[in-house]
Amino acid sequence: MADPTTSAVDTPDAEAVARLSYRRALARKKRKEREAAGEIKELNITAMMDMMTILLVFLLKSFASSSAAVTASEDVRPPVSSTRATPKDTVAVTITPRNVLVGEREVLRLQNGQFPADTLQGRLVLPLDAQLKKEVEKLKYIAARNPSAPFSGELSVIADKKIPYDMLLTVLYTAGQNELENYRFVVLQKEGE
């Protein structure tokens, strides 16, 4: 006969092992559920398309509002005019009482509102000349590869209304030496027009 104490000991151990195995399986299942909860199983393409449409409309609207970007600055106060002409996207030279910029890059810092003597060669402003050469080369490179964007030789001049005429003439001379012969002066439109 079998010893009753031995079978009683085997049975609780088997039950304990079964319970332990069940607990482990349950813990493994819960862990997998928690890991799966953080995963993205499918993408909602409709919401993504809505977001892309909104971005596209925003970018088109902001691009269409003004083709010429003029950086607002306390140094530059352009003159006021009643013109109705719309600005074009061209090479922009900004002349402030402190410096001269091409695009948004400072090319030359003025000394007491004048060009430093070592930057001038006659009426040619050397740092401005070098930067305008780069801009013209870039525009010609684009024009050679894209017939819909021909090189027009246009320059937008954004100048403070207190800039002396002689300084403005020197900048225009330097631009003319770089094939930028068509000038547009950026002005503020009068209120109420």
Side-chain angles (χ1 to χ4, degrees):
M1 285 204 154
D3 186 15
T5 56
T6 309
S7 67
V9 171
D10 288 341
T11 308
D13 282 337
E15 280 183 30
V17 169
R19 269 193 227 125
L20 187 60
S21 156
Y22 177 73
R23 284 183 185 161
R24 285 182 182 159
L26 190 61
R28 200 175 316 119
K29 182 180 175 188
K30 286 182 180 179
R31 184 173 56 244
K32 285 185 178 182
E33 287 175 358
R34 276 194 311 266
E35 289 173 359
E39 293 179 13
I40 299 173
K41 293 184 179 164
E42 62 182 62
L43 292 176
N44 186 351
I45 194 74
T46 306
M48 290 178 66
M49 289 301 294
D50 288 346
M51 180 182 63
M52 294 306 290
T53 304
I54 290 169
L55 282 172
L56 179 66
V57 169
F58 171 75
L59 291 173
L60 286 174
K61 182 72 174 163
S62 65
F63 182 75
S65 66
S66 175
S67 62
V70 177
T71 307
S73 172
E74 290 183 21
D75 288 348
V76 181
R77 299 191 193 285
V80 179
S81 175
S82 61
T83 185
R84 297 218 180 253
T86 56
K88 290 185 177 181
D89 193 17
T90 62
V91 177
V93 174
T94 306
I95 309 166
T96 72
R98 295 184 196 167
N99 50 22
V100 177
L101 300 108
V102 175
E104 292 186 10
R105 178 179 290 153
E106 181 179 314
V107 176
L108 177 68
R109 186 165 293 277
L110 301 177
Q111 293 175 350
N112 298 324
Q114 297 294 321
F115 294 117
D118 60 334
T119 62
L120 291 173
Q121 185 177 7
R123 277 220 179 261
L124 190 72
V125 183
L126 298 175
L128 179 61
D129 182 55
Q131 187 63 36
L132 288 176
K133 274 187 186 6
K134 290 179 187 176
E135 292 292 324
V136 168
E137 285 175 14
K138 181 172 67 172
L139 290 174
K140 285 184 176 181
Y141 178 82
I142 291 169
R145 281 147 184 78
N146 185 1
S148 65
F151 176 69
S152 62
E154 290 187 12
L155 174 74
S156 293
V157 179
I158 307 163
D160 189 81
K161 58 186 171 185
K162 295 180 181 174
I163 295 295
Y165 178 74
D166 188 55
M167 182 181 287
L168 191 60
L169 192 62
T170 303
V171 169
L172 293 179
Y173 175 81
T174 304
Q177 296 301 309
N178 289 288
E179 301 177 54
L180 297 169
E181 299 158 348
N182 300 321
Y183 311 122
R184 292 179 179 269
F185 293 98
V186 176
V187 294
L188 296 176
Q189 193 170 16
K190 280 186 182 177
E191 297 278 332
E193 292 190 26

